[in-house]
Amino acid sequence: MTHAARPPQHAPELRAAARPPQHAPELRAAARHLGRRGFLTATGAAAALAFAVGLPAAGTASAAELDAARITDNPFTLGVASGDPLPGSVLLWTRLAPAPYEPDGGLPAERVTVHWELAHDERFRRIVRRGAAPAHPEFHHTVHVEVAHLDPGRPYFYRFRVGRWISETGRTRTAPAPGERAAALRLAAVSCQAYHDGYFTAYGHLAQDDVDAVFHLGDYLYEYAVNSAGGQRRYTDRVLPAHFNRETLTLEDYRLRYALYKSDPDLRAAHAAHPFVVTWDDHETENNYAGDTPENTVPPEEFLLRRASAYRAYWENQPLRRPQRPDGPDMRLYRRLHWGDLAQFDILDTRQYRTNQAYGDGAQIPGPEVDDPARTMTGETQERWLLDGWQRSRALWNVVPQQVVFSQRKFDLTEPSRVSMDAWDGYRASRRRVLDGARAAGVENLMVLTGDVHVGYGFDIKEDFDDPASRTVGTEIVATSIASGRDGADRPANWDTYLRANPHLRFYNGRRGYVTVTLGRERARADFRTVPYVTTPGAPVTTAASFVTEAGEPGLTPA
């Protein structure tokens, strides 16, 4: 896909120095007064956070309403999206932003009525449902519509209308009926889309691909500054506003960054073409944060202000349902979806509840701390939810979309080898409990979907990673990045070392792209789709490799 068209509403570059971001003074004072533990648990702190990030208060429905006739520019500049398909329900999303690169999106702080339609056909001759929803200024004029009482297992088309403006048409679908014997599901897995590292070309190809759903495994945006030329995009036909050229800290910062990312035409096309199932990693908030522990040395109450803003902007800008709406600095993102009796998806959050990384983070030789049973990647509640869900599962495939590499990944040929303290290698006791739980539940077809590392991997998950002859208990498919890491290479410099150090690593490729996974009754197939470059637009897509894993016989073999 080419990128010749200008993104909407490019504001002139600001000449004055960028305003230093500030959190609400009331909340800063409340956070300091409550202290760390109190801040995390006190109801008053949650209320203060809600105030600071502008949650709609009681009586919002009676707020002033904007006459839609006053909207003279297209408000649908950031496209449409759908998400989390259920058997009888779809979730539809849009945001009104005639001027998306401006803090207010080009709209006054007034409520706007948005009309929506759902149809069997893309010409909307057979309307299934229609209705209206308010776009509140407190939610930055985003709209989340949950449409219920639909037929299971079929596609639908949808669109929005405000005044004389009609959005582009999106295509979504419902999941099969509970327990239905579904023949197949084809999904795509994506991750890591640093705007400043290149174009989202892979999304243009994915928009044309035939998949039932897209699983986004984290790093939807990056908190780092984006200069006036868009970093490695090296724009010559536009100048991005100066407020993008700083790290995101406040709610306004995060909202504006989502506007920048969602103005990308290829990302918009992918959202319009397929329902997304999203989960975050770290960069939606801050690199390598762990629970309430920031990467940098700021007080934890200050970091939780930032986390509250990041979580709020994430929910506003993603096709998520009401149970995922944040409460101050907390947001329950882990959840479970089903595709008939074919697949159960346990979507994890490995950031919000994890113990701080061991040994100062980074690549380290593991010591006793990584095997400490008190340390956790998921938190106790989420871990129990996962294991209990497996006990009740009747699905053929149990799929775990999550963020960081699950399998052992040694970086060196020497022993002991360094491993990543940010991945499951830094939380080995936590990983052991998960694998033991899968075995106890009788899970035969375990598949882990992963992002984070900007490369494509295919792993056999071993009962004992240090014994290549031990039983293979599952498969891990790691989706490479959409743009992060720039162009990459088919064989990175460490390619040979990694394959020799990790006998269970079946595939390694360092290009950008995405992966498709087709789940069938007898086998699953993974196709690693890559593009040769992202620092210039228009790259073609090819299949770098394909693998299958047979139902009941875990392990990857070339297709």
Side-chain angles (χ1 to χ4, degrees):
M1 300 289 287
T2 61
H3 290 258
R6 289 171 62 90
Q9 298 293 328
H10 296 292
E13 185 169 23
L14 303 181
R15 299 182 183 277
R19 166 189 60 79
Q22 295 290 328
H23 289 293
E26 297 90 342
L27 181 54
R28 292 168 63 94
R32 286 193 297 270
H33 175 71
L34 285 164
R36 186 169 190 242
R37 287 294 98 195
F39 185 83
L40 288 173
T41 59
T43 302
L49 274 169
F51 171 78
V53 296
L55 283 170
T60 300
S62 62
E65 180 167 359
L66 177 67
D67 180 0
R70 293 174 51 198
I71 302 177
T72 58
D73 294 313
N74 178 21
F76 298 110
T77 56
L78 302 179
V80 300
S82 68
D84 282 16
L86 298 180
S89 172
V90 296
L91 185 284
L92 311 179
W93 174 93
T94 193
R95 182 189 155 210
L96 307 182
Y101 292 175
E102 297 177 8
D104 60 5
L107 291 175
E110 298 177 22
R111 180 167 44 94
V112 181
T113 297
V114 180
H115 298 271
W116 56 268
E117 293 179 316
L118 190 78
H120 285 311
D121 65 303
E122 57 187 330
R123 294 188 178 183
F124 292 85
R125 291 174 176 170
R126 293 183 294 153
I127 302 293
V128 178
R129 297 278 189 280
R130 56 163 52 100
H136 292 293
E138 294 92 341
F139 287 136
H140 215 209
H141 292 107
T142 57
V143 177
H144 297 73
V145 178
E146 298 187 36
V147 187
H149 309 297
L150 301 176
D151 294 333
R154 65 159 301 145
Y156 290 93
F157 297 87
Y158 64 96
R159 65 186 179 186
F160 298 90
R161 177 175 56 82
V162 171
R164 64 184 180 89
W165 299 99
I166 298 177
S167 74
E168 62 200 272
T169 297
R171 185 178 186 271
T172 189
R173 66 176 307 115
T174 51
E180 178 182 330
R181 186 176 172 84
L185 162 67
R186 189 165 189 260
L187 62 89
V190 299
S191 70
C192 303
Q193 50 199 53
Y195 186 98
H196 57 277
D197 269 1
Y199 290 91
F200 295 168
T201 308
Y203 272 133
H205 295 293
L206 177 54
Q208 303 299 318
D209 215 333
D210 182 18
V211 299
D212 296 300
V214 176
F215 285 76
H216 199 294
L217 305 172
D219 295 343
Y220 190 96
L221 59 69
Y222 281 67
E223 75 275 30
Y224 304 138
V226 180
N227 67 21
S228 61
Q232 292 299 308
R233 297 186 177 210
R234 299 185 179 92
Y235 290 143
T236 59
D237 62 341
R238 70 201 72 173
V239 177
L240 298 180
H243 53 60
F244 293 128
N245 198 19
R246 63 169 183 249
E247 186 166 338
T248 55
L249 293 173
T250 69
L251 179 58
E252 181 178 293
D253 292 337
Y254 286 106
R255 283 171 163 175
L256 282 165
R257 194 61 52 88
Y258 279 105
L260 174 64
Y261 276 57
K262 285 180 171 288
S263 68
D264 181 275
D266 286 336
L267 177 56
R268 283 180 52 182
H271 270 301
H274 313 298
F276 272 54
V277 178
V278 300
T279 186
W280 54 37
D281 192 17
D282 50 343
H283 288 288
E284 291 91 348
T285 300
E286 181 192 50
N287 179 58
N288 279 23
Y289 80 94
D292 62 350
T293 304
E295 178 187 35
N296 301 310
T297 54
V298 300
E301 59 268 24
E302 290 287 328
F303 173 68
L304 286 178
L305 299 178
R306 180 179 185 175
R307 200 178 89 170
S309 297
Y311 285 11
R312 173 65 179 280
Y314 184 84
W315 185 82
E316 288 177 345
N317 286 281
Q318 298 291 7
L320 288 165
R321 294 177 182 269
R322 184 173 294 274
Q324 278 64 62
R325 193 167 115 178
D327 179 10
D330 305 315
M331 177 173 166
R332 177 169 169 168
L333 194 57
Y334 66 89
R335 60 205 189 278
R336 181 170 292 125
L337 300 175
H338 296 89
W339 201 263
D341 72 344
L342 181 66
Q344 175 173 299
F345 295 95
D346 295 294
I347 301 110
L348 298 189
D349 173 0
T350 64
R351 281 293 160 192
Q352 186 174 183
Y353 313 106
R354 68 158 67 188
T355 308
N356 196 20
Q357 292 90 341
Y359 304 111
D361 205 356
Q364 308 288 348
I365 293 174
E369 192 174 347
V370 304
D371 295 310
D372 181 353
R375 300 183 70 255
T376 176
M377 176 66 86
T378 61
E380 181 180 357
T381 300
Q382 183 180 195
E383 181 181 295
R384 178 45 51 196
W385 167 87
L386 174 64
L387 302 190
D388 288 349
W390 281 341
Q391 289 284 350
R392 295 189 296 268
S393 175
R394 298 296 178 265
L396 178 61
W397 299 94
N398 285 277
V399 185
V400 183
Q402 56 96 54
Q403 294 75 27
V404 294
V405 173
F406 184 81
S407 300
Q408 181 170 280
R409 183 175 52 132
K410 293 182 177 180
F411 295 150
D412 311 306
L413 294 174
T414 55
E415 288 293 346
S417 170
R418 296 169 303 140
V419 295
S420 171
M421 294 297 105
D422 188 57
W424 288 83
D425 276 336
Y427 301 78
R428 292 195 302 211
S430 195
R431 179 170 63 196
R432 183 75 267 156
R433 289 193 298 271
V434 168
L435 290 176
D436 289 347
R439 183 181 62 231
V443 172
E444 292 186 345
N445 300 303
L446 172 64
M447 178 176 288
V448 177
L449 300 179
T450 299
D452 182 54
V453 287
H454 312 165
V455 298
Y457 289 135
F459 286 104
D460 290 347
I461 300 174
K462 306 297 287 186
E463 178 70 26
D464 179 357
F465 284 108
D466 291 322
D467 179 8
S470 69
R471 189 168 65 100
T472 298
V473 297
T475 300
E476 182 175 12
I477 303 297
V478 180
T480 187
S481 63
I482 291 290
S484 305
R486 305 180 187 178
D487 293 337
D490 288 319
R491 292 192 175 189
N494 56 17
W495 186 86
D496 183 67
T497 297
Y498 278 24
L499 287 174
R500 291 171 60 194
N502 302 282
H504 54 285
L505 176 59
R506 304 302 188 195
F507 173 72
Y508 178 15
N509 182 279
R511 293 291 189 191
R512 313 283 74 84
Y514 61 96
V515 60
T516 61
V517 176
T518 304
L519 301 176
R521 306 300 306 188
E522 297 181 354
R523 65 185 57 85
R525 176 187 174 110
D527 295 291
F528 292 88
R529 306 275 284 163
T530 60
V531 295
Y533 51 85
V534 294
T535 51
T536 54
V541 67
T542 58
T543 300
S546 299
F547 292 85
V548 297
T549 180
E550 302 293 332
E553 298 181 16
L556 291 170
T557 58

